[in-house]
């Protein structure tokens, strides 16, 4: 009797999946929106060696900025895109720009301008 009950439950489950889910509700036709992230892993370096004719619109003192070796971190920005793939095709070079901490960063207990140290 337990064997018959077990086979009956199995038959009911199979009938439900095949009959109701797949045929009646057309479960085989369901689609879902894809959520993905692409990571670009690039190895190597790039050498940009422009001639003076190609850099006519660039100041002479800035031309060395265009003739340089680019590392992976220079041309893969950002490394991860959601539902997209980013390929850098143009770069804007800003000469004499450096990374540093802004003077506004810090803990100041000033309530008026005259209480703050000059130049900070």
């Amino acid at each position: 009797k337990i064997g018959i009950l077990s086979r009956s439950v199995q038959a009911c489950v199979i009938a439900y999946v095949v009959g109701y889910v797949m045929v009646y509700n057309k479960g085989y036709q369901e689609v879902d929106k894809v959520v993905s992230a692409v990571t670009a892993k690039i190895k190597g370096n790039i050498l940009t060696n422009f001639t003076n004719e190609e850099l006519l619109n660039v100041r002479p003192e800035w031309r060395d900025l265009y003739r340089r070796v680019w590392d992976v971190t220079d041309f893969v920005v950002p490394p991860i895109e959601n539902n997209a793939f980013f390929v850098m095709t143009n770069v804007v070079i800003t000469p004499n720009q450096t990374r540093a901490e802004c003077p506004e960063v810090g803990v100041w207990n000033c309530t008026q301008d005259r209480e703050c140290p000059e130049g900070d």
Side-chain angles (χ1 to χ4, degrees):
K1 289 189 174 193
I2 293 178
I4 293 172
L5 180 63
S6 173
R7 293 295 177 188
S8 299
V9 170
Q10 287 177 352
C12 288
V13 169
I14 291 172
Y16 169 75
V17 170
V18 172
Y20 181 74
V21 174
M22 298 301 281
V23 176
Y24 183 73
N25 281 338
K26 297 184 180 180
Y28 58 91
Q29 294 179 346
E30 288 184 9
V31 295
D32 197 5
K33 185 178 176 182
V34 176
V35 178
S36 65
V38 176
T39 302
K41 293 187 178 183
I42 299 175
K43 295 180 181 179
N45 298 321
I46 294 176
L47 171 65
T48 52
N49 192 12
F50 293 104
T51 63
N52 287 332
E53 291 80 27
E54 293 173 313
L55 300 174
L56 284 177
N57 297 328
V58 179
R59 291 185 185 180
E61 63 268 15
W62 293 350
R63 290 184 181 171
D64 287 336
L65 296 172
Y66 291 85
R67 297 181 186 121
R68 60 180 275 193
V69 176
W70 298 81
D71 191 12
V72 175
T73 57
D74 294 327
F75 56 86
V76 179
V77 177
I80 296 178
E81 286 282 325
N82 289 328
N83 296 324
F85 185 75
F86 179 80
V87 177
M88 186 178 81
T89 58
N90 195 5
V91 64
V92 176
I93 297 175
T94 51
N96 302 327
Q97 183 178 10
T98 59
R99 285 188 176 183
E101 189 173 291
C102 295
E104 296 88 15
V105 175
V107 178
W108 308 107
N109 295 322
C110 304
T111 56
Q112 297 177 355
D113 286 340
R114 65 175 178 258
E115 294 175 355
C116 292
E118 190 174 335
D120 290 340

